[in-house]
Amino acid sequence: MMMVIQTVSLVTDSSGLSANVTYDHRALVIDGKRRVLQSGSIHYPRSTPEVWPELIRKSKEGGLEVIETYVFWNYHEPIRGQYYFEGRFDLVRFVKTVQEAGLFLHLRIGPYACAEWNYGGFPVWLHFIPGIQFRTTNNPFKEEMKRFLAKIVDLMKQENLFASQGGPIILAQVENEYGNVEWAYGVGGELYVKWAADTAVNLNTSVPWVMCQQEDAPDPIINTCNGFYCDGFTPNSPSKPIMWTENYSGWFLSFGYAVPFRPVEDLAFAVARFFETGGTFQNYYMYFGGTNFGRTAGGPLVATSYDYDAPIDEYGFIRQPKWGHLRELHKAIKLCEEYLISSDPTHQKLGANLEAHIYYKSSNDCAAFLANYDSSSDANVTFNGNVYFLPAWSVSILPDCKNVVFNTAKVISQRNIGDHPFAQQKNVNELLLASSAFSWYEEKVGISGNRSFVRPDLVEQINTTKDTSDYLWYTASIHVMPGQGKEVFLNIESLGHAALVFVNKKLVAFGYGNHDFANFSINKKIELNEGINTLDILSMMVGLQNYGAWFDVAGAGLFSVILIDLKNGKRDLSSGEWIYQVGVEGEYIGLDKISLANSSFWKQGSTLPVNKSLIWYKASFNRMIMCQITTFLAPEGKGPLALNLASMGKGQAWVNGQSIGRYWSAYLAPSTGCTKKCDYRGSYDASKCQKHCGQPAQTLYHIPRTWVHPGENLLVIHEELGGDPSKISLLTKTGQDICSFVSEADPPPVDSWKPNLGVVSSSPQVQLACERGWHIAAINFASYGIPEGNCGSFRPGACHMDVLPIVQKACVAQVECSLPVSSAYLGVAAGACPGLLKALAVEAHCSI
């Protein structure tokens, strides 16, 4: 029986036609029909408007029907009452772009986002409203939250973007993962949840509202699941559908950490298990992660790259085999949609850690999911009188309860060669910025100008800077009397995130925390002079806290400075007089701005200063120099650039006045914890699969192509620790190498199975496709038989048949091609390599 909770209207194309929408215990119901929906997160400010259509197109081609995004309060209202909806923050344009692609949209207004975004998306000015307490039953906070919620809802209504107006928005979210921290707020938290729900419903959006990770979400709010797995999730009411709002496609990156990744076999297993056990709406967080441009990254120490190991990588390129394998999964689930929406699943035990879930349209018409959730043992199972092989930690999908069209552990989609779009030198053009191209400006250590102020003790950094800058100078004088020890130990305690220490204007120490523990200590033996000595400490933020109970009051900066003289004991400087300055000299001058590119502040000489702290560098590059790059930009001359900052230490970078974010190449990940190949079997967590141990988390930084223009372009670097800018380079991708390995035992493409007809083609296929704007220029390897090696290093095996001419004829000069894995198609005698299971391995090169 269908229980209608809310009635809305929506449109799936740009025609403006509306349809009725409700939900019941099984699914969202669109125009009277339950729907099984695949969704993916794309955060509009983490890319640029010019590439939104391409990202959304690739998402749709990957099988998505819904795009999910947060709304970022701190950038939409940077000053209370002053709104900004332009450029990367043009929310209306983004929603309309989704609509033009014929997709739905889930708008997560929050306004708390988390999202590894600075301050969780809250504007910092909110913190300074008298008497305010975030995310609890506090009137000042509730007034501001209600005002912003209403602002966004009204904006969407004015543009006719809600479903009831013929727009694409079918869902909205209030709050975010509050259930994870609600315990810390006591009764105030419980009351706040009820208030937030009532406030959302009373905004009359006419679309269903959700609260993720919120077991006590009151009706009619749908409580949803977030996590790596949600097949065991049950909503808090039998009238609500099972929805998964955050299925982590990987994990976020932090400075000083190895790079996390999630095998696609496990991700597909999690998705299949969710739909197997009754789910009908699932969202990948992220489907495209993008870039934390500027100072948008949260903290502490979240990296600039927000790649997230997503199906579309940070630069907008398709990540294979993740994108392709998930697309096949979506097709297989779509084949089962009529069954999934017709009934609740019937469970059948098949053995230890083996089970089936069957969906019936009638007693003899069904679809089934067969699961082996054992983390190590493969199995053969009997279902409906037939025997099926189930690899460990896998799900097979049978849209007719007979034929397997997809197994989550069998990855036959093409693969990219190289784990990063700029990993292969032969497919990259690199422009080295010579040392002669650079000018520089060396900052003064300590207080500069007339922007300082004095306090009788140590101040907390965020309350002092109000996040207008990452930097706060702490300066004190140390008087050494005759006879006092000149060699002393300096002990500094900080809440985070990093600090440079200067004694008498000379750098003596650098300390820093990490993402999990932002606080740190510095213990350093220093030498003082008789008389007056200066102690200058530059405390540095690397993103404001974005998650946790009461995260908004988490502090930063110094809280203890002590001198230890072995002769005369301790001397606590913490409560002495300190001089402060928010920001560094170059920020006040405005050295990052294009208007100062030719300023006399910049110096140039025959010897470029390198490995110096607190120095700004400037270099120009023009279209003439870049012609070798722009000629090969892809796709269609609009591809992204990467800035290689491996030779630098820590700082920020700008291109034509646009901040590409913070960098910290000097911070290396631990040397242990990575494996060459991560076993997808068994439960995944963020630390299970890691790569690039002992290396910086990030050395390449994304420059959107639209930020570079014909003529002269300006690169500005603010280096905090010390580096060598003469080794900085610009990279573009000129092509890609792809490969595929498919055996005769693999299933044919999901597309080959048709309802009521069964399998149309019984042959598995090698399917190859280039990025848009490129074509297959060459086949580098092709072997049918028992090829050996791995993608990128295939070689003929003991049984080898040269099928290169056939593959070349089918694929060269094509954007994509399909090759049936059969002796008949490949022109091989039927008796070749008798008794052996043969496979086709192909490596191809794509370019313009």
mmCIF file of all heavy atoms in Angstrom, residues 5 335 345 363 537 571 687 761 825:
data_model
loop_
_atom_site.group_PDB
_atom_site.id
_atom_site.type_symbol
_atom_site.label_atom_id
_atom_site.label_comp_id
_atom_site.label_asym_id
_atom_site.label_seq_id
_atom_site.Cartn_x
_atom_site.Cartn_y
_atom_site.Cartn_z
ATOM 1 N N ILE A 5 3.223 11.011 1.242
ATOM 2 C CA ILE A 5 3.642 11.955 2.270
ATOM 3 C C ILE A 5 3.574 13.383 1.759
ATOM 4 O O ILE A 5 3.035 14.264 2.396
ATOM 5 C CB ILE A 5 5.078 11.651 2.729
ATOM 6 C CG1 ILE A 5 5.163 10.194 3.202
ATOM 7 C CG2 ILE A 5 5.505 12.596 3.828
ATOM 8 C CD1 ILE A 5 4.304 9.879 4.388
ATOM 9 N N LEU A 335 17.809 -2.703 -15.227
ATOM 10 C CA LEU A 335 17.064 -3.837 -15.782
ATOM 11 C C LEU A 335 16.126 -4.458 -14.749
ATOM 12 O O LEU A 335 15.112 -5.065 -15.108
ATOM 13 C CB LEU A 335 18.035 -4.907 -16.291
ATOM 14 C CG LEU A 335 18.842 -4.586 -17.555
ATOM 15 C CD1 LEU A 335 19.869 -5.678 -17.820
ATOM 16 C CD2 LEU A 335 17.926 -4.412 -18.769
ATOM 17 N N PRO A 345 11.778 -7.220 -0.910
ATOM 18 C CA PRO A 345 12.600 -8.391 -1.238
ATOM 19 C C PRO A 345 12.259 -9.604 -0.384
ATOM 20 O O PRO A 345 11.919 -9.491 0.795
ATOM 21 C CB PRO A 345 14.023 -7.901 -0.948
ATOM 22 C CG PRO A 345 13.863 -6.816 0.070
ATOM 23 C CD PRO A 345 12.572 -6.144 -0.268
ATOM 24 N N SER A 363 4.304 -14.630 -9.397
ATOM 25 C CA SER A 363 4.901 -15.818 -8.794
ATOM 26 C C SER A 363 5.976 -16.453 -9.656
ATOM 27 O O SER A 363 6.857 -17.151 -9.145
ATOM 28 C CB SER A 363 3.794 -16.848 -8.493
ATOM 29 O OG SER A 363 3.124 -17.215 -9.693
ATOM 30 N N ILE A 537 56.878 34.880 16.091
ATOM 31 C CA ILE A 537 56.279 33.587 15.747
ATOM 32 C C ILE A 537 55.134 33.828 14.781
ATOM 33 O O ILE A 537 54.197 34.575 15.094
ATOM 34 C CB ILE A 537 55.760 32.863 17.010
ATOM 35 C CG1 ILE A 537 56.875 32.718 18.051
ATOM 36 C CG2 ILE A 537 55.189 31.498 16.637
ATOM 37 C CD1 ILE A 537 56.403 32.210 19.394
ATOM 38 N N ARG A 571 60.838 30.628 32.592
ATOM 39 C CA ARG A 571 60.353 32.004 32.415
ATOM 40 C C ARG A 571 59.153 31.942 31.474
ATOM 41 O O ARG A 571 59.294 31.674 30.287
ATOM 42 C CB ARG A 571 61.465 32.862 31.828
ATOM 43 C CG ARG A 571 61.127 34.340 31.699
ATOM 44 C CD ARG A 571 62.365 35.071 31.218
ATOM 45 N NE ARG A 571 62.121 36.438 30.894
ATOM 46 C CZ ARG A 571 63.014 37.266 30.340
ATOM 47 N NH1 ARG A 571 64.236 36.803 30.064
ATOM 48 N NH2 ARG A 571 62.713 38.510 30.071
ATOM 49 N N SER A 687 41.447 4.050 5.830
ATOM 50 C CA SER A 687 42.877 3.768 5.928
ATOM 51 C C SER A 687 43.262 2.429 5.311
ATOM 52 O O SER A 687 44.435 2.059 5.308
ATOM 53 C CB SER A 687 43.308 3.779 7.400
ATOM 54 O OG SER A 687 42.627 2.769 8.128
ATOM 55 N N SER A 761 23.445 -11.161 -27.396
ATOM 56 C CA SER A 761 24.775 -11.548 -27.851
ATOM 57 C C SER A 761 25.461 -12.303 -26.729
ATOM 58 O O SER A 761 25.521 -11.827 -25.602
ATOM 59 C CB SER A 761 25.591 -10.312 -28.231
ATOM 60 O OG SER A 761 26.943 -10.661 -28.449
ATOM 61 N N TYR A 825 35.052 -13.914 -34.644
ATOM 62 C CA TYR A 825 35.216 -12.494 -34.976
ATOM 63 C C TYR A 825 36.678 -12.161 -35.230
ATOM 64 O O TYR A 825 37.002 -11.386 -36.136
ATOM 65 C CB TYR A 825 34.677 -11.619 -33.836
ATOM 66 C CG TYR A 825 34.927 -10.150 -34.080
ATOM 67 C CD1 TYR A 825 34.073 -9.400 -34.895
ATOM 68 C CD2 TYR A 825 36.033 -9.512 -33.521
ATOM 69 C CE1 TYR A 825 34.317 -8.054 -35.135
ATOM 70 C CE2 TYR A 825 36.283 -8.171 -33.753
ATOM 71 C CZ TYR A 825 35.421 -7.440 -34.567
ATOM 72 O OH TYR A 825 35.667 -6.105 -34.809
#
